[in-house]
Amino acid sequence: MINVIGLGYIGLPTALMLASHGVEVVGTDYNKELVATLNAGKTTFKEKGLDELFDAAVKAGIKFSTEYQVTDIYIVSVPTPYDKFSKKIDPCFVVSAVESVLKVCPKGAIIVVESTVSPGTMDKFVRPAVEAKGFTIGKDIHLVHAPERIIPGNMVYELLHNNRTIGADSREIGEKVKKCYASFCQGEIVVTDIKTAEMTKVVENTFRAVNIAFANELAKICNYDGMDVYEIIKICNMHPRVNILQPGPGVGGHCISVDPWFLVGDYPALTHVIWDAMKVNDSMPVYVLNKVSKIIKEVGISDYRRIGVYGLTYKENVDDVRESPTLQLLEHQQHHLAEPLKVYDPWIEKDLVPNQYHDFDKFLNDVDLVIIMVKHDHIKQNMNKLKGKVVFDTCNVCDLEGTYKL
Ligand code: SAJ
């Protein structure tokens, strides 16, 4: 049996995937409401293919509980926040989950940490916490780091097909954990040491953040000097060794906008490119607002209350708003305008911000300028409704004539 600890964006699909491939699984989360929802047969967030996977796992016998189970393999998938000032990781949830496992686990159990952690976190925080409880690592307890790599919006597919990394102290334990993941994972599974696994995960997300920052900087240069950044990137990417990502209104989510800061926090004197890249990405929501000011002057919109923001989530076709560029934009905007901008997102049913609409047509009725912040499929399917509006498209999704771009 595997006890998956933490049933959020990563833990839940992982638990479901294992269960639907014949592994006995209990998913544990300290959030009673979340566990009750799952036990009532409902998933807790929207994701392509998740409901079907959930049904298959329930049929296969997955259980959800607030209790830690007695078993020989634990997968810990809890959040790893970071301190906004020091930029360092806060491993408190990981450490506390591991300590809870230690209260129930038998001798020789394996604790697999899936949560993203900065290089050295297992050595600096998790090992001492285990040893402080009187356990000998490698004998009483085995520690493994197996960072997830799945992308929200395509999680189910990527869980099945992505390559994986497993960091372990010994080959034997690494291979044992590899066997568990191989129950469903069709990708290659590499076994390495723990610190290498920690670093590779953070490096992958940092690579993407730096590449996006480069695209964002190009957007600024092109905007300044009247060039089309999308056309330029398209042509550059036809070169066999160039692959530039797309500029956008900012970088959100709990990964790309966070993980690179772990490296800055731990190696401040050695991280110039990463630091600057993160600053460029963080500057984008304000850049968008500045451009909105220019547009409204140009088209003669005098009533800012007729400006609407489309999209609240951190990216397209997900219901996750963590670190979302729109939230960052609204935060800046509130210092300059007496009334919050109007907002609509088809993926968000709850009221999260002031002046939020839940009806697209009503939203459109109340605005003259639409800032597209997220390229949900919904906006692609409803583009004709934007005819007659001033459109500022920060995601390069709208081809209506006269559309303003980044
Ligand atoms: N973005 C751009 N331009 C692009 C691509 C993305 O501005 O060309 C923006 C998005 O709009 C979003 C942000 O970047 O705001 C991050 O989105 P994303 O789709 O790039 O990545 P995440 O954060 O959803 O998922 C990443 C993935 N990492 C990599 O691709 C290296 C995923 O594989 C990881 O599992 C995930 O982080 C994680 O959990 O760490």
Side-chain angles (χ1 to χ4, degrees):
M1 190 236 278
I2 296 184
N3 189 193
V4 177
I5 315 294
L7 297 173
Y9 285 103
I10 303 301
L12 180 63
T14 304
L16 300 178
M17 194 55 93
L18 283 161
S20 64
H21 284 79
V23 180
E24 190 188 349
V25 178
V26 177
T28 295
D29 200 295
Y30 67 15
N31 181 339
K32 286 189 189 132
E33 213 180 303
L34 184 143
V35 170
T37 306
L38 295 171
N39 277 329
K42 280 183 259 165
T43 49
T44 39
F45 62 96
K46 291 185 221 158
E47 172 67 36
K48 190 172 56 183
L50 189 68
D51 287 345
E52 293 79 356
L53 184 64
F54 182 80
D55 291 345
V58 169
K59 260 195 207 119
I62 190 169
K63 301 267 179 303
F64 304 106
S65 168
T66 51
E67 303 295 320
Y68 284 68
Q69 308 294 308
V70 179
T71 186
D72 49 1
I73 299 192
Y74 297 83
I75 294 180
V76 173
S77 193
V78 294
T80 39
Y82 80 107
D83 182 282
K84 290 228 156 115
F85 295 104
S86 71
K87 311 293 188 200
K88 285 180 192 269
I89 194 170
D90 178 354
C92 63
F93 294 122
V94 171
V95 169
S96 137
V98 168
E99 284 173 345
S100 302
V101 167
L102 296 178
K103 286 186 192 147
V104 296
C105 71
K107 207 173 164 181
I110 301 174
I111 306 179
V112 182
V113 173
E114 267 215 27
S115 313
T116 301
V117 293
S118 56
T121 298
M122 296 288 280
D123 283 348
K124 277 184 275 185
F125 301 101
V126 181
R127 284 185 206 277
V130 172
E131 282 157 0
K133 301 279 175 207
F135 290 81
T136 303
I137 296 169
K139 210 168 112 216
D140 304 330
I141 275 292
H142 301 283
L143 292 177
V144 170
H145 178 50
E148 58 78 21
R149 281 168 150 174
I150 52 178
I151 197 144
N154 201 25
M155 284 178 163
V156 175
Y157 176 87
E158 291 209 350
L159 258 177
L160 282 171
H161 298 279
N162 282 6
N163 302 324
R164 300 193 73 111
T165 317
I166 289 172
D169 290 335
S170 79
R171 190 87 216 166
E172 186 202 337
I173 295 297
E175 291 297 331
K176 208 166 164 186
V177 173
K178 178 175 172 175
K179 228 170 136 192
C180 289
Y181 284 105
S183 66
F184 65 85
C185 173
Q186 297 167 26
E188 192 178 327
I189 304 178
V190 177
V191 177
T192 182
D193 64 89
I194 289 181
K195 200 163 181 181
T196 303
E198 292 173 319
M199 184 64 171
T200 48
K201 168 65 199 245
V202 175
V203 167
E204 287 159 10
N205 280 351
T206 303
F207 170 77
R208 197 159 167 86
V210 172
N211 193 335
I212 295 169
F214 178 60
N216 283 334
E217 192 153 283
L218 293 180
K220 289 180 177 178
I221 297 171
C222 292
N223 175 65
Y224 177 79
D225 214 12
M227 294 178 271
D228 179 345
V229 68
Y230 301 106
E231 176 76 355
I232 288 162
I233 290 178
K234 190 177 95 194
I235 296 169
C236 290
N237 283 350
M238 290 166 80
H239 183 289
R241 281 172 297 283
V242 175
N243 185 15
I244 307 166
L245 290 169
Q246 294 299 305
V251 170
H254 192 62
C255 311
I256 309 256
S257 69
V258 174
D259 299 355
W261 285 124
F262 296 164
L263 292 178
V264 176
D266 284 346
Y267 310 100
L270 305 171
T271 43
H272 306 294
V273 171
I274 302 169
W275 198 90
D276 278 344
M278 296 302 278
K279 286 284 159 197
V280 170
N281 290 339
D282 286 353
S283 75
M284 293 312 285
V286 173
Y287 172 81
V288 169
L289 276 180
N290 289 338
K291 187 138 183 183
V292 170
S293 303
K294 285 192 194 128
I295 295 170
I296 56 178
K297 268 195 203 121
E298 201 176 304
V299 298
I301 292 177
S302 54
D303 187 352
Y304 71 84
R305 285 169 301 185
R306 298 211 38 98
I307 300 175
V309 181
Y310 177 93
L312 252 176
T313 60
Y314 87 89
K315 68 174 189 181
E316 68 277 12
N317 306 328
V318 299
D319 63 359
D320 187 345
V321 298
R322 288 177 296 173
E323 321 287 333
S324 112
T326 300
L327 290 180
Q328 294 170 42
L329 179 146
L330 294 175
E331 202 181 309
H332 286 287
Q333 168 259 309
Q334 72 182 6
H335 303 303
H336 303 285
L337 299 177
E339 199 185 300
L341 294 174
K342 297 183 163 55
V343 184
Y344 173 76
D345 191 310
W347 280 76
I348 304 296
E349 281 153 19
K350 279 191 195 149
D351 264 326
L352 291 185
V353 292
N355 267 348
Q356 186 182 337
Y357 285 66
H358 296 283
D359 183 306
F360 187 47
D361 293 329
K362 209 158 172 286
F363 165 76
L364 287 182
N365 217 21
D366 288 354
V367 301
D368 296 324
L369 173 101
V370 180
I371 311 165
I372 304 178
M373 292 289 285
V374 186
K375 51 176 187 229
H376 289 307
D377 287 348
H378 169 268
I379 193 73
K380 295 184 191 163
Q381 288 148 8
N382 285 283
M383 208 51 91
N384 60 337
K385 291 191 175 174
L386 297 184
K387 278 185 188 150
K389 305 280 176 202
V390 179
V391 179
F392 176 21
D393 171 16
T394 68
C395 321
N396 197 27
V397 69
C398 177
D399 49 14
L400 294 175
E401 222 182 300
T403 298
Y404 288 89
K405 300 272 172 166
L406 260 192

